[in-house]
Amino acid sequence: MSSIPAELKYSAEHEWITDAQAADTVRVGITDFAQDALGDVVYVEHPEVGKSVSAGDVVGEVESTKSVSDIYAPVSGEIVNVNADLDEDPGAINSDPYGTGWLFEVKVAGPDALSSLLSAEEYEKHVG
């Protein structure tokens, strides 16, 4: 079974989200389950820094040796940072999806932005 860290929140589209950090910013990546399904990641199209997004918007894509998959914004807010290291090492998504393979950071739109996300237990049932 793939790894599902208990301290993170999850979207039904297989993104993980940290709890809001300082200044209400969350870090987003794709789950171990998603990277395993994708296969070897070879390219990441980042979202645009400064862009306002709504939960569910397509904000980028991940290309693997098997397919191209959309990346969705799991929360509404503003893209404030992207993981530029993935330009040189997109395989970090495969080797460390919850660490160096993170995708982008969002300043969340409001205090309820994370309320619709899944807990680790709920996500595990979702991919079950």
Side-chain angles (χ1 to χ4, degrees):
M1 184 63 180
S2 58
S3 153
I4 304 174
E7 69 276 10
L8 301 175
K9 300 284 189 193
Y10 299 88
S11 73
E13 291 79 27
H14 310 290
E15 283 90 18
W16 58 260
I17 302 91
T18 58
D19 274 335
Q21 308 293 313
D24 299 323
T25 300
V26 296
R27 184 167 277 183
V28 177
I30 63 170
T31 65
D32 189 41
F33 177 87
Q35 72 76 24
D36 187 54
L38 278 169
D40 293 335
V41 175
V42 295
Y43 176 76
V44 177
E45 180 187 300
H46 299 290
E48 183 182 334
V49 173
K51 181 177 181 178
S52 291
V53 297
S54 296
D57 286 356
V58 174
V59 296
E61 62 185 32
V62 175
E63 186 176 324
S64 73
T65 54
K66 292 183 189 177
S67 66
V68 176
S69 294
D70 289 331
I71 300 168
Y72 297 91
V75 294
S76 298
E78 179 186 344
I79 306 290
V80 294
N81 191 19
V82 297
N83 186 355
D85 291 345
L86 295 178
D87 295 341
E88 297 294 320
D89 184 19
I93 292 171
N94 298 114
S95 61
D96 192 10
Y98 300 112
T100 58
W102 64 275
L103 297 172
F104 59 93
E105 294 176 330
V106 178
K107 183 175 169 101
V108 295
D112 297 331
L114 305 181
S115 63
S116 65
L117 298 170
L118 305 173
S119 68
E121 187 175 277
E122 291 165 330
Y123 181 72
E124 188 168 5
K125 287 178 185 167
H126 175 69
V127 298

